[in-house]
Amino acid sequence: MKRKNFITLLWISLATSMFFFFAFTDEKTIENFLLTVLISFMYSFVLAGGNGMLNDFLNKKFPWSEATTKRAAISIISILIANVILVYFCNYVNFVLIQKAVNTTEYFSGRYNFINWFTINVALLISAFLHARGFMEELKKTSKKEVVEQKLIAKSANAQFESLKNQLDPHFLFNSLNVLSSLIDENPRQAQKFTASMSKIYRYVLEQKDKELVTVEDEIEFAKTYCDLLKTRFEDSVDFVFDVDQEDYRRYVVPLSLQLLLENCIKHNFATSSKPLIIKVFSENDTLCIENNLQVREQMKESAGIGLANIVQRYALLTKKNVFIEKSEDYFKVKLPILSGKPNVVSVKPEDSDKAYERAKKRVKEIKSFYGNLISYCVIIPFLIIINLITNPKHIWFYFPMLGWGIGVLAHGMNVFAIGKNWEEKKIRELMNKEK
């Protein structure tokens, strides 16, 4: 038991003993006061301490965050059994061993059933208080941990995505300058034309590089312009065939994916007038395919491998759909997933993460409010029961506030845990998340 909890129990025991001594003890003697303190300490430490240790044990073996339903079921069964045993033990020690009011046979004959039943209810209320407090503490830790983890994941994913997009600028510029340097020696006029076209294409690169996704239509139009640029250099050594379904034009792919794959086709294959390189761009089963006949050239130096790897990593950050690569003796094909909408999986803006934090904070506040209500119920109702039994035991009235407030606590719990007015909205959100 923690030192703080031990001190709290000491004060509660002392306050309880003072209350019973001055309110119910006829002979105000030192012996009776010490006896009252002893009995009060026994009940406090056995019932509260026993329930506290049970709660700590269950927290270690069955944490609320890992198995809430299982933990709730185990808690209910274990606290019922434990409190019945603890109450019968405390009352036996009190009435049989300390006060010697009855013997063992009389105690278990049923004479003290009402006192045992009443004490069990008080013990269950104490146990409910301790378990509610334990749940709240773990809920706070879990909620804070989840919010921090989500923020870290979002920031990490955004940083990774930005890093991948920033690779495109130097990569495109480097390859384009290589083509330009070759053209200057081979055909200066074509080099001038290439330079003018390259400026238009590079403008598109700058416009699209900050976007997560672009429409297939925009990417196809850019790819055709880029193909015209390549035709400037290779002329009839390279042929391009576009056969993309019109219905796919309004869907999405990652920007500059076609340009990077077209670059790869040129870089890794030789092309001549007698053996032209044929590059096809077409739709196939919700994918955008880029296929070329395989005419592998010998690489003078190892490729940096930025193009295809960049595309694969960007898709991995945006969707669970994979980029497929097919290779045979005759052709090489890459299949890019065509997305129906712009996912919000990765690019979480700071204000979005702040909103998520506020929603989580509001949720914690709602649950905290419920357990505050439950704890108040567990504390006040026993006192009302005691007052009723002391002042007018023949007229039992504590049932009315106990049942009325109990129904209110039950309704509050149903509302907080998705069975009340917010159930429909939460269920819709759950189904939408499953669809995604």
Side-chain angles (χ1 to χ4, degrees), residues 213-233:
L213 295 170
V214 295
T215 62
V216 172
E217 182 178 13
D218 288 343
E219 193 69 6
I220 291 294
E221 291 302 316
F222 167 70
K224 288 179 178 178
T225 305
Y226 184 70
C227 289
D228 291 339
L229 198 66
L230 294 175
K231 288 287 285 184
T232 302
R233 179 186 176 192

Side-chain angles (χ1 to χ4, degrees), residues 9-19 33 37 40-41 44:
L9 274 180
L10 283 177
W11 282 109
I12 292 174
S13 301
L14 185 59
T16 306
S17 60
M18 295 286 288
F19 172 76
F33 175 73
V37 170
S40 178
F41 271 59
S44 297

